[in-house]
Amino acid sequence: MTIKTALITGTSRAAGLGYAVARQLAELGFHVVLTARDVGRAESLAEQLRQDGYAATALWLDLTERSSMREAVDHLVRTFGHLDVLINNASTMPDFRVLSALDADLDDVRSAMQVDVLGPWELVQALRPLLDAAPAARIVNVSSLTAMQIATGLDLGANLRAPAHSIGKYMLNALNTMLARAFEGTPVLVNAVDPGETATHPERADERDRPAAESARGVVWAATLDSDGPTGGLFRDGKPLL
């Protein structure tokens, strides 16, 4: 029997979206691979899943460190030989309180581009043989409504913020489209998901933020699409945003 496998990036906090996604995929029978820059924190979460009877592994993966990608790929090749699901969840919001592109720190912009765009892009390239080896792999790019400020001129009012984060997610959406086209004609489906306002940092959550477990369902939906499912789209809770 072939083991279903899923790798989730940026999985280091119990309250985080990545961990909620990992748990829900584990409940569906996936062997989940939790990855983070701090592998000790990822291992702690993987151990929680194992104690609950699920299959989970932790790996070091830093989207700014090419060597970590090579190590992760080598582990997956040796252990599984394929990858059914890749969740590009890792992100950064270095300028949460910045309200204008004119005030953006371009070092923050470079950081966002590396973590949100270039890192996931390189990771997909590195994992391609494993994705191709799966019966029907799924790639899910975790996006954000903030990107819509650039894509459509959407006015988020009081929520307008984070130009570095916004441009990173905007470019991630463009990468999502390019990858979907690149995998056209194969069983691999690629989609972006906006999880919505989520209480991943309980200490600064407000009443509009929903639990990570609720937001995770839309990501898991995209990760488990049937063969006739969509590709190249941007969704929230299984519904298209564009």
Side-chain angles (χ1 to χ4, degrees):
M1 179 179 177
T2 303
I3 300 171
K4 295 189 297 182
T5 58
L7 185 148
I8 307 98
T9 67
T11 310
S12 61
R13 294 183 302 104
L17 179 69
Y19 181 59
V21 170
R23 176 169 285 276
Q24 290 180 23
L25 287 173
E27 291 170 351
L28 293 175
F30 284 82
H31 184 126
V32 292
V33 181
L34 285 62
T35 72
R37 290 179 296 177
D38 186 338
V39 70
R41 296 175 68 177
E43 173 57 35
S44 177
L45 297 177
E47 177 59 24
Q48 290 182 34
L49 291 175
R50 291 193 294 268
Q51 289 179 359
D52 291 338
Y54 302 117
T57 301
L59 294 177
W60 170 54
L61 184 56
D62 184 337
L63 294 177
T64 68
E65 290 285 346
R66 187 167 292 169
S67 61
S68 76
M69 296 189 198
R70 288 196 296 264
E71 288 184 19
V73 171
D74 288 346
H75 175 86
L76 294 172
V77 168
R78 292 192 310 270
T79 307
F80 304 111
H82 71 282
L83 182 65
D84 297 283
V85 171
L86 169 62
I87 309 290
N88 283 315
N89 169 70
S91 187
T92 179
M93 189 180 280
D95 58 345
F96 181 77
R97 300 185 186 282
V98 179
L99 301 181
S100 169
L102 297 177
D103 298 321
D105 184 328
L106 292 187
D107 285 338
D108 288 342
V109 176
R110 293 184 185 94
S111 175
M113 292 296 291
Q114 180 61 51
V115 175
D116 291 333
V117 185
L118 298 179
W121 195 343
E122 186 167 4
L123 184 60
V124 169
Q125 290 182 333
L127 291 170
R128 182 181 176 185
L130 290 159
L131 294 165
D132 287 341
R138 303 289 179 258
I139 300 172
V140 184
N141 298 304
V142 178
S143 187
S144 170
L145 187 62
T146 58
M148 302 288 280
Q149 299 173 101
I150 301 171
T152 66
L154 177 69
D155 183 4
L156 297 181
N159 290 328
L160 180 63
R161 62 180 185 273
H165 177 71
S166 298
I167 192 68
K169 292 301 187 183
Y170 174 73
M171 293 304 296
L172 177 65
N173 290 347
L175 175 64
N176 183 77
T177 300
M178 293 198 319
L179 290 175
R181 291 176 180 172
F183 280 108
E184 190 174 356
T186 79
V188 180
L189 301 181
V190 185
N191 287 289
V193 171
D194 167 30
E197 295 292 334
T198 307
T200 56
H201 292 276
E203 70 280 1
R204 64 176 186 233
D206 63 34
E207 66 277 1
R208 295 172 302 174
D209 295 348
R210 59 185 184 177
E214 183 177 342
S215 294
R217 296 190 191 108
V219 179
V220 172
W221 167 83
T224 56
L225 286 169
D226 291 335
S227 59
D228 60 350
T231 191
L234 171 62
F235 299 88
R236 178 190 283 178
D237 298 332
K239 299 177 181 178
L241 284 176
L242 291 177

